[in-house]
Amino acid sequence: MAVNERPGSGLSALDVMRDAPVLPVIVLHAVEHAVPLARALVAGGIRMLEVTLRTPVALACIEAIARDVPQAVIGAGTVRSAADAQAASLAGARFAVSPGYTHAVGRACHELGLPLLPGVATGSEIMAAQEDGYTELKFFPAMQAGGLAMLKAWGGPFGDVTFCPTGGIHAGNAAEFLALSNVACVGGSWIVPTDAIREGDWARIEQLARAASQLPR
């Protein structure tokens, strides 16, 4: 079994990255928004959903989606510790995304069988993640850490690494990142606007998801 595959699930980090061009970065402040949001995204062609652990209700939202939206593949973002990984797994998360990388987080996700997209911003961080068996990585914060030029430069020494750039990615520049050979998908929040979630405008979110799911790569 690969280090980045969950026992019995058949899901790997590469599966998460390849399912759709965009991995939505979701921040939820109310549990009642979780299920209709997930349904809108799935209806628009986005199944892999990253709910970030940035709010007190995040774990409850993950649990609600895991229970009530079986078509979605729910993951936890902003996983910063082994405790975060454990809590996310117990809530029903099927993959994890971290803003950075530590051996402790990598080991915890491996022991839990939780596919992990670790965040990296430097060559040293890529090498540390690779030493622990991780070759599918989140480039974060993408625009602030060098953007397209950095990913192109990494294509030489890290030709065996696949990236999901996140941070500053939007509808206007996503296609440029997706055109790179070492990019499998991009992470972004533009398909889950805060005001649309707050107002319950699920039709708008479905429309944004549909457009994102059709981006070329």
Side-chain angles (χ1 to χ4, degrees):
M1 183 185 69
V3 68
N4 228 0
E5 182 176 316
R6 190 168 194 169
S9 72
L11 182 70
S12 70
L14 197 56
D15 293 330
V16 174
M17 297 169 81
R18 286 180 170 167
D19 196 71
V22 180
L23 179 63
V25 180
I26 303 166
V27 180
L28 287 167
H29 296 275
V31 177
E32 58 266 28
H33 292 156
V35 169
L37 172 66
R39 287 176 175 157
L41 290 167
V42 169
I46 304 290
R47 298 188 312 137
M48 303 291 171
L49 313 181
E50 176 194 342
V51 173
T52 61
L53 302 183
R54 301 181 191 176
T55 67
V57 299
L59 289 170
C61 290
I62 289 171
E63 186 174 3
I65 294 170
R67 181 185 63 240
D68 296 336
V69 193
Q71 306 95 326
V73 180
I74 185 66
T78 321
V79 172
R80 301 188 303 167
S81 66
D84 284 345
Q86 178 71 34
S89 183
L90 288 173
R94 295 179 59 192
F95 65 92
V97 184
S98 60
Y101 183 72
T102 67
H103 177 70
V105 168
R107 183 179 62 225
C109 288
H110 176 50
E111 290 174 352
L112 290 164
L114 197 63
L116 172 67
L117 283 179
V120 299
T122 68
S124 296
E125 291 169 350
I126 294 172
M127 291 166 64
Q130 281 192 294
E131 283 183 0
D132 288 345
Y134 293 96
T135 56
E136 292 82 37
L137 309 176
K138 178 175 90 164
F139 176 34
F140 177 79
M143 294 303 293
Q144 296 86 340
L148 291 164
M150 183 66 84
L151 285 165
K152 290 175 182 177
W154 279 344
F158 301 116
D160 55 343
V161 177
T162 304
F163 293 98
C164 170
T166 305
I169 312 297
H170 51 77
N173 63 11
E176 293 181 278
F177 284 90
L178 291 166
L180 298 179
S181 60
N182 57 350
V183 170
C185 70
V186 298
S189 58
W190 83 88
I191 63 174
V192 284
T194 301
D195 60 334
I197 295 174
R198 184 177 60 248
E199 295 163 12
D201 192 349
W202 313 124
R204 178 184 169 199
I205 288 174
E206 180 180 341
Q207 183 179 29
L208 290 167
R210 184 167 290 108
S213 70
Q214 294 171 359
L215 285 167
R217 55 177 173 171

